[in-house]
Amino acid sequence: MSLNVPGLIVMAIFYLLILGTGIWASMRSKKVERKCTGSDGMEITLLAGRNINLLVGIFTLTATWVGGGFILGIAEAVYNPTLGLVWALMPVPYVLTFFLGGFFFAKPMRENKYVTMMDPFQIKYGNVLSSLLIFPALIADVLWVARTLVSLGGTMSVILDLPYVYSICISSVVAIIYTLLGGLYSVAYTDVIQLILIFLSLWICVPFMMTNPNSMDITLTAFNETFQAPWVGKLELRDAGKWIDDFMVLALGGLAYQAFYQRILSASSYTQAQVTCFASSAFCLVLGIPSVLVGAVAASTDWNLTSYGSPTPYERGQAGSILPIALQYLTPSYVSIIGIGAVAAAVMSSMDSALLSSASMFSSNIYKNIIRNQASDREMQWVIRTSVVVCGLAGTALTFLDNSVLVFWLVGVDMSYTIMFPQLVCVLFFKVSNGYGASVGYVLALVLRILSGEPLINLPPVIHFPGFRKDAEGVMTQFFPFRTTIMLTSLCSILITSCVTSVIFNKGLLLERRDVFQIKRSQAKVTALTKLKKEESKKDYAKAKEAVVNKQLLDTSC
């Protein structure tokens, strides 16, 4: 197969469009920064001045979740004869993610005017412990970058015959450039373009696949074995624990990502943040349908009749690239080029979010609050840009270690779920939580997760939970909901340890000078800051109300 020149031209136009949109948004960001006197430059870069448009907010939150891993991962699960539709969980758990985020997590984050999700940790637990807690979140973001680039590299190499290395490097450079130029403004406005391209491109390609003469009617193969096992799949009772575990990881793990709170905190009001969450959940469901159909068509295709030939993609170990393979061999060449535009758009929309997310936490929580408290706005802008570049390069480097989308997807979300989610719940909703409980919960979750093993990265398990078994290839897998068990264990350990240590130090059972985390001082600090934030919110509301009244009086007098 020779290099697909028309496809390269189309991709070049797409990249120029995205880059141009990002540059335009960065210019808009600078104009807003000059006009705003109440917001500093860092807040405008990271949160768009907390005044992002509702429609743009919905698009950017949806595009953040509907990435390359989302599109390729769903198609891979549906096509894989050992999994099927019942295991393609991604769209449905996200509905729960957005609803829980809108109803419960958005309010405390917005009321306290946090800049990142790590702010409550830093205020309550201090700099040392919060720095340790930031690392799992940063690693999860880097893995997020890697999985999105892997999905695009595989697609370009199949359809355009462009080397994997070039595909990844070009995409990485473009995303890094427009992210560091305009911050959230660039990310959000490019997400609008990208989400429209994802929707249109996928729905243009699907009819061509479904009418391919080498593919059977997907309704006939849904529950009947033809070329492979039925694409709907099956869920046996002995596998129910693993299914529940995967569902909970995807649903609750997303609540421990900075990218989610970046969109929530950039909204102009709590109501707008909620609407953004609820609308995005519906968009995720709709955008998951084309990938399901692609996987179903691929499972219903006699590959021996296509130019792909035998053995099947699954037998060749190419199930992870089934979407680009289906585009290449089941649609006309001009349609497959349109399809790669959808994957590229999905990749860029998620990658830029992960880049800005990690840059936000490092620049705000580590550099600004720990390394240089007196850093100027200009200095912070350069720190943010440097962080974006470093995260992008780290994620790009990881793509050369493994080429499976699901590996990076699950490992990244896994860390967020087992380690970060219980910590976030405790710091936001339980006043009793303190540094001692957070430390115990952190170490316990990390140790238990390592000892539980992970077949995706060839880590053998030391702890064998109920339902543990070895498959025909010798791979050892936990079918008990062990990650949920670890998460709950961590949550309980944080609360129990916090309660016990609070009693010990508040009752004077140990001298206060032995209190490493200074429980009394941290509790008083949190209370004082909460009152201050509420007073500031009331003053802001009063000023806004006064401005509206004055405007009405002026209009009446005229």
Side-chain angles (χ1 to χ4, degrees), residues 42 46 115-116 118-119 122 127 130-131 134-135 138 357-388 390:
M42 189 174 75
L46 302 182
V115 175
T116 75
M118 299 308 299
D119 285 355
Q122 208 149 30
N127 291 333
S130 62
S131 299
I134 285 173
F135 281 108
L138 289 175
S357 170
S358 57
S360 301
M361 289 186 288
F362 177 81
S363 59
S364 178
N365 298 108
I366 295 180
Y367 192 87
K368 177 75 171 176
N369 292 346
I370 299 175
I371 299 175
R372 270 183 60 82
N373 292 325
Q374 305 301 320
S376 65
D377 263 359
R378 183 177 177 79
E379 183 179 344
M380 289 309 303
Q381 293 296 327
W382 281 106
V383 171
I384 293 169
R385 290 167 186 162
T386 305
S387 304
V388 167
V390 171

Side-chain angles (χ1 to χ4, degrees), residues 100-101 104-105 108-109 117-118 120-121 124-125 133 248 251-257 261 416-434 438 487-488 490-492 494-495 498:
L100 288 175
F104 300 106
F105 289 82
M109 282 287 183
M117 75 169 189
M118 299 308 299
F121 293 100
K124 196 167 189 177
Y125 301 152
L133 291 170
M248 296 301 290
L252 302 181
L255 290 169
Y257 270 107
Y261 297 102
S416 297
Y417 179 59
T418 55
I419 298 174
M420 289 306 300
F421 179 71
Q423 297 282 354
L424 191 63
V425 169
C426 289
V427 78
L428 288 179
F429 302 107
F430 294 94
K431 290 182 179 180
V432 72
S433 65
N434 57 43
M487 183 275 290
L488 292 173
S490 176
L491 184 71
C492 293
I494 294 169
L495 295 177
S498 296

Side-chain angles (χ1 to χ4, degrees), residues 473-495:
E473 297 177 354
V475 178
M476 296 176 286
T477 308
Q478 308 273 14
F479 283 84
F480 185 79
F482 72 101
R483 288 170 296 186
T484 301
T485 303
I486 293 171
M487 183 275 290
L488 292 173
T489 303
S490 176
L491 184 71
C492 293
S493 67
I494 294 169
L495 295 177

Side-chain angles (χ1 to χ4, degrees), residues 4 81 112 149 167 187 189 193 207 211 314 321 323 342 401 410 454 465 472 490 532 538 556:
N4 189 333
N112 291 288
L149 286 173
S167 306
V187 170
Y189 282 97
I193 304 293
T211 54
Y314 175 74
S321 300
L323 189 143
L401 300 179
L410 291 173
E454 181 51 67
F465 289 89
S490 176
L532 183 63
K538 288 178 181 177
T556 305

Side-chain angles (χ1 to χ4, degrees), residues 117 134-148 256-259 262 350-351 353-361 391 395 398 412 416:
M117 75 169 189
I134 285 173
F135 281 108
L138 289 175
I139 292 170
D141 280 336
V142 172
L143 291 174
W144 192 350
V145 171
R147 75 174 183 242
T148 55
Y257 270 107
Q258 161 62 14
Q262 203 144 25
S350 281
M351 181 180 174
S353 299
L355 291 174
L356 191 61
S357 170
S358 57
S360 301
M361 289 186 288
C391 179
L398 283 175
S416 297

Side-chain angles (χ1 to χ4, degrees), residues 403-414:
N403 63 356
S404 172
V405 177
L406 286 177
V407 169
F408 290 116
W409 181 289
L410 291 173
V411 172
V413 179
D414 197 322

